Amino acid sequence: MSMHIAAMPGEIAEVVLLPGDPLRAKFVADTYLENPVKYNDIRNIFGYTGTYKGKRVSVQGTGMGIPSVSIYVNELFRDYGVRRALRIGTAGSIRVDVKLRDLVIAMSACTDSGANKIRFGGRDYAPTASFSLLKTAYDTACALGFKPAVGPVVSSDMFYTEDPDEWKLWAQFGCIAVEMECAELYTLAAKYGREALTLLTVSDSLVTHEVTSAEERQQTFLQMMEVALETAIS
Ligand code: HPA
């Protein structure tokens, strides 16, 4: 057991999918995994292990934001020997050509978070995806007929920013979408020498102020899952 995860050693697979929403973890386990077993319900942040196409896969909720994802990913890498972690989440588009429901693959993550300022004593660090996972996800997505947007994202500590135009500077510097966890996942993967990737579907647009419906989010989530699972077991 670690502090926030109740699993015994060996109960979590080397490959883990990471939705923010714990109920999404339950949905993934119920929908895609054979013989899923729940190994965690501490704080209702559910985690399950099962098999997908014969390979062991776990799915662990992380909660929202860098402090929360940091707790779960630290424990998964440090205490459970997880080798490959794929975040599956949603993001707000900050570019006109990244549309609602598009699939985004985060190549790297800029951030306004204090986490890496603390960790690196004020120096900058460039949180970056695993190239091999990124290539596999991109090729898989293209083979399935999707056209993923690949680029840097922004991992923000603030969903409700004081300045509603704050995203524009990030967009000017090439970022394509805003979410709240990727920078910490990539930083911790580098620290522990593991592989990580973030796949996102666009749930809203900061450019046009459009928002997807719950049904649309569910549909795009299913499409993203095809890419995530094939990449996870590759
Ligand atoms: N901002 C930050 N995180 C998000 C957003 C957003 O607009 N949409 C989905 N996750």
Side-chain angles (χ1 to χ4, degrees):
M1 267 188 75
S2 60
M3 188 134 172
H4 302 87
I5 302 177
M8 300 306 284
E11 286 184 341
I12 300 180
E14 289 195 342
V15 173
V16 181
L17 301 173
L18 300 170
D21 180 353
L23 289 178
R24 275 276 154 88
K26 178 174 174 7
F27 175 82
V28 169
D30 290 342
T31 310
Y32 294 102
L33 301 187
E34 292 118 41
N35 307 311
V37 175
K38 183 161 70 181
Y39 62 74
N40 191 53
D41 56 13
I42 297 175
R43 290 175 182 253
N44 284 340
I45 304 286
F46 306 125
Y48 300 82
T49 299
T51 57
Y52 178 75
K53 296 188 177 173
K55 301 207 171 139
R56 277 183 96 221
V57 174
S58 294
V59 53
Q60 172 66 56
T62 65
M64 288 181 281
I66 280 178
S68 186
V69 80
S70 183
I71 287 171
Y72 293 98
V73 172
N74 259 297
E75 293 180 18
L76 289 171
F77 285 153
R78 187 192 63 189
D79 302 324
Y80 294 99
V82 167
R83 304 222 58 81
R84 181 175 279 189
L86 272 95
R87 165 162 152 68
I88 41 177
T90 57
S93 169
I94 56 174
R95 284 175 57 122
V96 276
D97 56 346
V98 178
K99 309 280 190 202
L100 248 49
R101 299 181 295 279
D102 278 0
L103 177 65
V104 167
I105 305 179
M107 190 156 71
S108 58
C110 302
T111 186
D112 55 25
S113 163
N116 273 352
K117 292 193 184 76
I118 298 166
R119 188 177 273 127
F120 292 100
R123 299 174 186 87
D124 276 343
Y125 176 73
T128 307
S130 147
F131 176 73
S132 66
L133 286 186
L134 191 152
K135 182 171 188 310
T136 303
Y138 182 78
D139 291 346
T140 305
C142 291
L144 290 167
F146 309 124
K147 286 201 185 72
V150 183
V153 301
V154 183
S155 298
S156 179
D157 272 359
M158 304 281 277
F159 189 92
Y160 299 107
T161 50
E162 295 301 327
D163 172 5
D165 289 336
E166 204 174 290
W167 58 272
K168 289 182 180 169
L169 184 66
W170 293 115
Q172 272 171 26
F173 281 74
C175 295
I176 61 176
V178 187
E179 54 84 76
M180 303 185 77
E181 294 85 12
C182 182
E184 183 69 1
L185 171 64
Y186 287 179
T187 302
L188 289 171
K191 170 177 173 171
Y192 289 98
R194 315 293 162 83
E195 292 180 298
L197 185 67
T198 294
L199 300 176
L200 304 158
T201 57
V202 175
S203 58
D204 56 288
S205 169
L206 282 76
V207 185
T208 65
H209 305 292
E210 298 167 285
V211 179
T212 50
S213 66
E215 299 88 80
E216 287 172 323
R217 284 199 291 278
Q218 184 70 3
Q219 188 54 40
T220 51
F221 183 77
L222 297 176
Q223 293 169 349
M224 177 172 62
M225 280 310 302
E226 291 185 58
V227 179
L229 282 163
E230 291 307 320
T231 304
I233 63 165
S234 63

